Structures are given as C-alpha cells and as structure tokens.
Amino acid sequence: MKDLDYAFAVARIRSLENSLMSNADIERLMACSDGKRCMQVLAEKGWGNGDEDIDLREMLRLEVGKTWAVLRDVSPDMSVFDVFSIYRLYHNLKAAIQLLCTEIKYENIYYEDAVFSGDELVQVIKEKAFYKLPYNMPKVAEEAYKTMLHTRDGQLCDVIVDRGAMETMIDLGQKSGVEIIKRYAEFTVGLANVKIALRAQETGKTLDFMLRALAPCALLDVNRLARAAATSREAIIDYLRGTAAGDSADLIQESSAAFERWCDNRLIEAIKSEKNKAFTAGPLAAYFVARQNEIKTVRLIVTGKQNKFPDEAIQERVRVMYA
C-alpha cells in the first residue's frame, strides 16, 4: 500500500515542481534594480503572504513553513524526513545551553519549527532530564552542558553539539531506507567536515581539536583530513584532490563563496535523478532539498541587492536550480 501512497504523493509533488524557481527566474531576480523590486517579483510568484510590507526574513520563514506543510500533507511517513530538521534541533540545544550558562538573553535565537523548542530544551537542561531528548541528544546535551559549566568554553560546547548533530544525520540517513536521503546526509556531513577543517586550519587549532570536531562519514577519511588541516591549507587541498570531493579543491583556492556554491550545486545535481521515480520518498526529499536551495539563493540575491553589493559579487554566490 505504501508504494501506492507514494505514487499519489509524487504526483502531487510533480505538480508543485512547476512552481519551483527556474534558472530564468533567478536571472530575473538578478536583473532587479534593488531589493524592493526583488521582493515585488517574489510576491508576484506567490512568495510570502500577500503583505506588501513583509520583510525578507519573514517571507523566507513563511516559505520554509510552506515546504514542511507540503511534506506533512502528502507524505505517508514523515519520519524519513527527520534528517532535514536535525540542524535546527541541535542549534536550539546550543542556544539553550549558552543561555543557561551565560544568562545573556538574545532575541530570536531559536528556530520555532524544531522538534523541541528552545524553552522546552531550557527546561530539560534545568531539570537534567536529558533522557527526554531523542537520538543521541541525551549524551550530547549532558556533555556539552557540563563542558560549558566547567570551562565556559562556548566554542568547545559548539563542537560537541555540532558533531552530535552530524552523527545523528548520518544515522538517520542510513535508517531512512531512501537512497537520496542517505546520500544527502553523507554529502552534507562530508562537506561540513571540510568547512570545519578549513576554519580550524585558519585559526591554528590543534590536531586533537580537529579529531574531536570532525564526524566520520563515507565521503572522506576524517583522520587524514584532520592531519592535513594540522599541516596547512595546501595539505587539505592536496588531500581532497584524491577524494569524491576532488572537484572542490580548485574552488577552495578561488574563494569560500565559490566552494559553498559548488557544495550546493553538487547536491542539486545529485537529486535530479529522483525526477524519474514514482514509488518512493525520493522525489519528496528532492523537492524539499530543491526548496532549501532556492530559498538560500533568494536570500543571497535579495540581501545583496538590499546592501548594494556589485552584481558580480552576488552572481558568484548564485546556485543552480532544480527546476
């Protein structure tokens, strides 16, 4: 029965794909004279809620919500998409720990649509009821909280939580039983490891720090990556040339923006094979990733236009669309 359920779900997704941003739509945004005109173009395409005075942050928040609503409406099993919400959940955990340990309050530090809200996580930590948390979070939350209390090292706290998030993403990708979700998890974690290694090398972190921060994945040998990062930026690039991420090596030398764009474009190319499938969760996952990609690209373009960045600088960050 589930195969038939997915057939109906995929048919719905196919109709929605017609409203996805195309490369031509992105070119139209790029041609806008300023951020205000960009917002008008997006409203004409149905983005936001019809409010002419809506700001970019609220518009994008609504678009993320619409995407999740589509999945909830059509999917026979939402659990296979848990991998897409991991970042928001673990971000809320970091924010809750920082709030409790520093008592510094910030506005809008939590994601509202995570499995646990920020306030719920604060209460769990206060009560030391870590067992209430899902995945590997009980161990991660307790370790990160104790580390923050005893060392006041916010960066080390973040490392513990971020690695926990990556390990959970890999685990959920494997358990989903959906090849494209498994590949999404492995690819996302692999590239996150590269970004961590590059930042750690630039800031002179130790090998022990890198080994603690990097999460094992199929895309890369994190031990070799860590040792390369402990040597030099050039050593990282040389190591990457012999991996599945080899195409990124030259782009890392070019700029961080070029590398980030390569990461997202590579993922979009990987999910395009789902367009030919009809009886799995794959096309639904591909739709979600495509929406993430276009929302990120819209944010980059509109923000660039609002801040009067040169078009060349904005174009360098524009992603390839799925549609």
Side-chain angles (χ1 to χ4, degrees):
M1 178 63 72
K2 186 170 283 190
D3 286 352
L4 185 59
D5 289 338
Y6 274 120
F8 286 116
V10 171
R12 172 78 185 281
I13 288 297
R14 293 287 178 254
S15 67
L16 291 172
E17 285 176 354
N18 293 325
S19 64
L20 288 172
M21 286 276 190
S22 66
N23 290 320
D25 290 322
I26 295 301
E27 289 175 7
R28 185 183 177 198
L29 273 184
M30 280 297 303
C32 291
S33 57
D34 52 34
K36 183 177 180 180
R37 179 55 188 151
C38 284
M39 296 292 285
Q40 291 170 345
V41 169
L42 291 167
E44 290 166 6
K45 195 167 174 62
W47 284 48
N49 58 3
D51 182 355
E52 294 182 0
D53 297 323
I54 192 171
D55 64 20
L56 177 63
R57 184 176 181 276
E58 178 62 11
M59 175 182 278
L60 298 183
R61 188 190 69 79
L62 289 172
E63 292 307 305
V64 171
K66 290 177 188 178
T67 307
W68 278 110
V70 166
L71 286 188
R72 285 191 290 268
D73 186 41
V74 306
S75 179
D77 180 9
M78 279 299 292
S79 67
V80 298
F81 305 114
D82 285 352
V83 68
F84 297 129
S85 61
I86 289 304
Y87 172 79
R88 291 169 179 263
L89 176 58
Y90 282 73
H91 167 87
N92 281 1
L93 176 61
K94 286 192 293 187
I97 292 172
Q98 297 279 357
L99 175 65
L100 279 172
C101 293
T102 66
E103 298 183 352
I104 300 174
K105 295 185 178 181
Y106 300 95
E107 295 294 327
N108 303 315
I109 61 171
Y110 298 121
Y111 284 109
E112 297 175 0
D113 51 356
V115 176
F116 276 75
S117 71
D119 290 341
E120 288 171 332
L121 286 168
V122 166
Q123 196 60 36
V124 165
I125 297 167
K126 279 183 176 180
E127 296 173 356
K128 296 184 173 56
F130 301 109
Y131 65 90
K132 293 181 179 180
L133 301 175
Y135 316 126
N136 67 354
M137 286 187 79
K139 177 182 177 182
V140 169
E142 185 171 9
E143 181 184 0
Y145 179 57
K146 287 180 177 178
T147 297
M148 188 64 182
L149 275 179
H150 296 150
T151 69
R152 298 292 170 173
D153 187 337
Q155 187 176 56
L156 183 55
C157 172
D158 287 353
V159 163
I160 294 167
V161 177
D162 288 342
R163 175 162 175 165
M166 291 191 287
E167 290 173 343
T168 299
M169 183 173 283
I170 293 290
D171 184 52
L172 289 177
Q174 295 283 350
K175 290 179 177 176
S176 72
V178 181
E179 184 60 28
I180 191 63
I181 294 178
K182 176 183 174 182
R183 289 166 61 194
Y184 170 88
E186 290 285 357
F187 192 73
T188 300
V189 171
L191 295 176
N193 279 328
V194 174
K195 294 172 188 177
I196 291 168
L198 288 167
R199 287 198 302 270
Q201 190 279 321
E202 289 171 0
T203 54
K205 298 300 182 185
T206 65
L207 176 60
D208 286 344
F209 177 93
M210 295 178 201
L211 290 172
R212 187 167 191 176
L214 302 177
C217 65
L219 190 69
L220 302 161
D221 181 333
V222 293
N223 289 314
R224 291 183 61 189
L225 177 61
R227 284 169 171 74
T231 303
S232 66
R233 185 180 181 86
E234 290 68 27
I236 296 174
I237 293 169
D238 288 342
Y239 165 67
L240 290 176
R241 291 191 194 282
T243 71
D247 292 347
S248 69
D250 290 335
L251 295 174
I252 290 172
Q253 290 181 312
E254 181 181 330
S255 70
S256 59
F259 173 65
E260 294 274 358
R261 183 183 61 192
W262 176 88
C263 294
D264 290 336
N265 288 350
R266 179 78 176 271
L267 187 57
I268 290 299
E269 290 302 318
I271 66 173
K272 284 187 175 180
S273 61
E274 299 304 311
K275 289 185 175 182
N276 301 319
K277 299 178 182 178
F279 300 103
T280 76
L284 281 65
Y287 173 81
F288 185 88
V289 175
R291 283 285 282 157
Q292 280 186 315
N293 183 63
E294 69 176 15
I295 290 169
K296 179 187 291 186
T297 301
V298 165
R299 179 185 290 110
L300 289 167
I301 293 174
V302 179
T303 300
K305 294 284 185 178
Q306 289 174 336
N307 289 284
K308 304 186 185 305
F309 293 159
D311 280 354
E312 296 78 9
I314 302 172
Q315 188 68 54
E316 183 186 23
R317 293 162 171 77
V318 169
R319 276 59 172 165
V320 171
M321 295 295 104
Y322 177 73

